[in-house]
Amino acid sequence: MKNVTIADVAKHANVSKSTVSQYLNKRYEYMSEKTRKKIEETIEALNYEPNILARSLKQKSTFTVGVVVANILHTFSTQIIRAIENYYYKQGFQIIVCNADDDPEKEKKYIEVLRAKQVDGIIIFPTGGNLDLYKRMKRDQFPIVFMDRMIEELDIATVMLDNQLAAKLAVDHFVEKGYKDIAIVTTSIIRSISPRVERIEGYKETLESYGIQYADYIKTADPEEISAALSELFTLEKPPEAILAGNDIVLNEILKYLKNHSMSIPEDAAVIGIDEVPFANFYTPEITTVKQPAVEMANLAAELLFNQINNAGKAETGVYRLKPTLIPRNSC
């Protein structure tokens, strides 16, 4: 049997090919509900399947976008991916997700693969280690948006959290609860990954505003080294009373450490984590967190990229910062 075409669908539904095309592109505002229903029933009856390749060639679009995350293990990353997928599904697009593991070489290969697949644009959580590649994409007017991390040397549209405010909200809460010996632990700040650096800066500035010292209380380490970093903190002559976890991976390591050393929260150490985590409200005790507006950030990034795609590469630039929210619970 020959393949069913748009022309066949149009003939059987007694409508024009352009009307069928509008239906396939979900432009339902151009037709009545009766026409829409008729096309839907005809497509089902004829078992019509759109020729995606032909559609891509005709419209010069593959209707796919890439998402390159730095580390898919972060709860925030999965929340962002889910919201981006939802946004583009409504636009008739698909997404391809790649995990760079914070490895610039892996990120580079994934970006090259995505471009070879002719995706229409890419949202990237940049590792910061591929400046020449980012510059080339910008020079090519390839649609690109950065998420979560900023590269100061490049004027590329970037969506990220107000990280200094996130740290400030946490430190303010600790101080309001009466804590003065407050530590911060983050994953490694190699390549000056902006959220981690900015959260440390927000922590420092807020404590300075209260006249509180913090000299020995800042630790940065890869996840597998966080336990050792915590041991250094808790063997200080004056160990911290409270710890701010720079992200959800650090929070997990802190909770494991405290449990393994039979330390109680908040009696032995108060805890706040930046990033809302699924277990925060049923852990014992419930964990205070600083929540990122992940859905709003994802929708903004997806919209910025979609606008670039529709404007044939004309890039919006600038950094868009969204505000975090403190969710107080019982870990302080």
Side-chain angles (χ1 to χ4, degrees):
M1 293 178 64
K2 75 179 185 70
N3 290 334
V4 179
T5 66
I6 282 184
D8 296 325
V9 174
K11 182 178 179 181
H12 282 76
N14 197 27
V15 297
S16 67
K17 287 195 293 184
S18 64
T19 301
V20 176
S21 178
Q22 288 165 352
Y23 173 89
L24 294 172
N25 286 300
K26 299 183 179 181
R27 296 174 183 154
Y28 304 133
E29 66 271 21
Y30 296 102
M31 65 194 72
S32 67
E33 182 62 31
K34 182 179 178 181
T35 299
R36 177 179 170 180
K37 187 69 176 173
K38 189 193 301 181
I39 296 172
E40 181 182 347
E41 290 172 350
T42 302
I43 286 173
E44 187 175 342
L46 297 179
N47 197 26
Y48 170 72
E49 295 181 357
N51 186 327
I52 296 173
L53 179 59
R55 180 184 175 212
S56 298
L57 290 171
K58 183 177 180 181
Q59 300 191 22
K60 296 181 180 179
S61 170
T62 60
F63 301 95
T64 57
V65 296
V67 181
V68 181
V69 297
N71 188 339
I72 205 166
L73 293 178
H74 286 291
T75 301
F76 174 69
S77 297
T78 56
Q79 291 170 341
I80 291 289
I81 291 166
R82 176 66 186 88
I84 290 173
E85 186 276 331
N86 187 58
Y87 178 96
Y88 278 107
Y89 178 79
K90 293 176 181 176
Q91 308 298 332
F93 278 61
Q94 295 176 318
I95 70 168
I96 300 173
V97 179
C98 303
N99 174 43
D101 277 329
D102 265 323
D103 179 350
E105 187 58 34
K106 196 172 179 183
E107 175 192 51
K108 181 174 183 287
K109 288 180 180 178
Y110 274 135
I111 291 172
E112 289 171 348
V113 166
L114 290 170
R115 294 202 67 181
K117 288 182 178 294
Q118 297 185 314
V119 297
D120 296 328
I122 307 177
I123 294 173
I124 305 174
F125 293 63
T127 64
N130 285 300
L131 287 179
D132 289 341
L133 178 58
Y134 307 146
K135 289 176 181 177
R136 187 163 70 246
M137 295 168 76
K138 183 175 173 62
R139 188 170 61 247
D140 293 345
Q141 294 190 314
F142 181 82
I144 177 175
V145 171
F146 284 160
M147 166 63 75
D148 185 50
R149 300 171 174 188
M150 176 175 58
I151 307 294
E152 291 186 356
E153 300 95 315
L154 301 174
D155 194 14
I156 288 175
T158 304
V159 177
M160 59 192 301
L161 186 70
D162 186 336
N163 290 294
Q164 289 184 278
L165 177 59
K168 182 180 188 306
L169 291 174
V171 173
D172 282 343
H173 191 67
F174 278 140
V175 173
E176 287 166 9
K177 292 290 185 178
Y179 300 102
K180 290 186 177 179
D181 301 323
I182 302 166
I184 184 171
V185 182
T186 78
T187 33
S188 172
I189 56 172
I190 187 172
R191 296 189 304 278
S192 299
I193 293 173
S194 46
R196 303 169 193 178
V197 172
E198 291 175 356
R199 289 169 192 180
I200 291 172
E201 286 304 311
Y203 159 89
K204 288 179 178 178
E205 289 178 8
T206 308
L207 285 178
E208 286 169 3
S209 73
Y210 288 110
I212 297 175
Q213 298 297 312
Y214 53 80
D216 299 322
Y217 292 147
I218 299 172
K219 293 292 181 182
T220 68
D222 290 329
E224 59 273 16
E225 300 296 329
I226 288 173
S227 179
L230 290 168
S231 290
E232 292 175 6
L233 284 172
F234 285 111
T235 54
L236 289 171
E237 184 176 336
K238 195 174 184 182
E241 308 169 296
I243 303 178
L244 172 57
N247 58 45
D248 58 328
I249 289 176
V250 175
L251 176 62
N252 287 341
E253 293 301 316
I254 290 173
L255 297 179
K256 282 195 291 185
Y257 180 91
L258 296 178
K259 182 178 180 181
N260 291 339
H261 289 77
S262 301
M263 298 174 70
S264 298
I265 303 171
E267 291 79 11
D268 295 315
V271 176
I272 296 177
I274 296 178
D275 282 336
E276 174 68 338
V277 289
F279 59 80
N281 61 357
F282 60 80
Y283 191 87
T284 305
E286 296 176 343
I287 306 297
T288 296
T289 59
V290 178
K291 181 181 179 180
Q292 300 199 55
V295 173
E296 292 87 344
M297 292 171 73
N299 285 340
L300 176 55
E303 183 180 357
L304 289 169
L305 188 72
F306 194 62
N307 289 343
Q308 287 185 43
I309 292 168
N310 288 335
N311 289 334
K314 183 181 178 182
E316 294 186 56
T317 58
V319 178
Y320 301 79
R321 290 187 182 272
L322 280 73
K323 295 190 179 300
T325 306
L326 180 81
I327 304 178
R329 296 190 178 99
N330 299 319
S331 59
C332 298

